[in-house]
């Protein structure tokens, strides 16, 4: 198993008594795994965010092509969709790199395919979208429905609603 994880927690804003209790619990949990905690004044924070921003471009170095999608599921289903994608990756032997905004259930799914695997990669996308919808998620987490997802819109939204959306778009 070559699974690895990097979790970046960033907390900001004012802390009330309930949130303070949750933050203390989070810190105790983090300390169990010997994870480093950085403060606002730590110069390393900028370096970590630069590392996070370099993930997507860096994935292009691992395969001939990258199929990337963004999905979003309820937080209670985040583990389920991640396990589903991992199992699908193992089954197809196509690596999947996941990153995103775990706090709101948004995942960037990156399938690392070579030229002979593109059809399998797009079949994986269809399965991932189907499972996302089954888990009461959405096939578009933060980037919207564009040209590449347009054909999948009917998986989530009924045709009559799509027509209403198109009419509304013409109005505005």
């Amino acid at each position: 198993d070559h699974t690895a994880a990097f979790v970046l927690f960033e907390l900001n804003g004012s802390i009330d008594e309930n949130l303070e209790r949750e933050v203390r619990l989070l810190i105790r949990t983090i300390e169990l795994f010997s994870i480093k905690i950085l403060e606002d004044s730590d110069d390393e924070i900028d370096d970590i965010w630069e590392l996070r921003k370099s993930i997507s471009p860096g994935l292009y170095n691992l395969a001939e092509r990258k199929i990337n999608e963004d999905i979003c599921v309820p937080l209670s289903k985040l583990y389920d969709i991640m396990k589903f994608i991992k199992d699908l990756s193992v089954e197809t032997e196509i690596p999947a790199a996941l990153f995103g905004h775990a706090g709101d259930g948004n995942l960037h799914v990156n399938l690392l395919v070579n030229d002979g695997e593109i059809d399998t990669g797009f079949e994986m996308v269809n399965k991932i979208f189907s499972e996302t919808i089954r888990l009461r998620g959405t096939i578009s987490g933060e980037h919207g429905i564009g040209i590449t997802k347009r054909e999948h819109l009917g998986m989530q939204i009924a045709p009559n609603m799509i027509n209403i959306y198109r009419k509304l778009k013409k109005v505005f």
Side-chain angles (χ1 to χ4, degrees):
D1 186 1
H2 298 287
T3 304
F6 174 81
V7 180
L8 173 61
F9 295 98
E10 182 176 53
L11 305 173
N12 52 36
S14 60
I15 298 180
D16 66 16
E17 187 177 307
N18 292 327
L19 183 57
E20 185 176 349
R21 194 171 34 252
E22 291 182 29
V23 168
R24 280 197 308 264
L25 177 62
L26 176 62
I27 290 171
R28 280 199 313 267
T29 303
I30 289 170
E31 288 171 345
L32 286 175
F33 294 97
S34 301
I35 297 173
K36 185 174 185 179
I37 298 173
L38 304 174
E39 301 291 332
D40 279 341
S41 61
D42 201 323
D43 293 335
E44 203 172 358
I45 290 174
D46 291 337
D47 293 339
I48 289 172
W49 275 111
E50 282 304 312
L51 173 67
R52 163 55 183 91
K53 291 174 187 175
S54 70
I55 293 172
S56 184
L59 292 173
Y60 285 105
N61 296 316
L62 301 177
E64 292 171 356
R65 296 177 187 243
K66 178 177 77 132
I67 301 172
N68 57 311
E69 298 292 346
D70 78 306
I71 59 172
C72 191
V73 295
L75 283 177
S76 63
K77 302 297 182 185
L78 192 57
Y79 171 83
D80 297 329
I81 194 64
M82 290 173 72
K83 183 172 183 334
F84 178 85
I85 295 168
K86 178 183 176 186
D87 291 346
L88 190 58
S89 175
V90 169
E91 175 188 318
T92 60
E93 298 182 356
I94 292 179
L98 307 176
F99 62 96
H101 318 277
D104 62 10
N106 185 307
L107 280 179
H108 301 289
V109 179
N110 295 267
L111 306 176
L112 308 176
V113 297
N114 292 312
D115 287 333
E117 303 168 323
I118 293 171
D119 289 342
T120 303
F122 284 116
E123 289 170 15
M124 289 174 71
V125 168
N126 287 331
K127 290 177 181 178
I128 292 167
F129 283 173
S130 293
E131 183 67 5
T132 299
I133 292 166
R134 190 188 75 73
L135 295 172
R136 299 192 175 280
T138 178
I139 63 172
S140 179
E142 66 178 336
H143 296 290
I145 301 292
I147 295 170
T148 58
K149 280 192 183 171
R150 189 176 185 177
E151 68 183 79
H152 299 288
L153 186 58
M155 294 175 74
Q156 187 156 15
I157 299 175
N160 61 332
M161 288 304 297
I162 293 172
N163 288 333
I164 290 170
Y165 293 157
R166 286 187 178 134
K167 289 176 184 175
L168 279 171
K169 188 175 176 180
K170 286 181 183 179
V171 171
F172 296 101

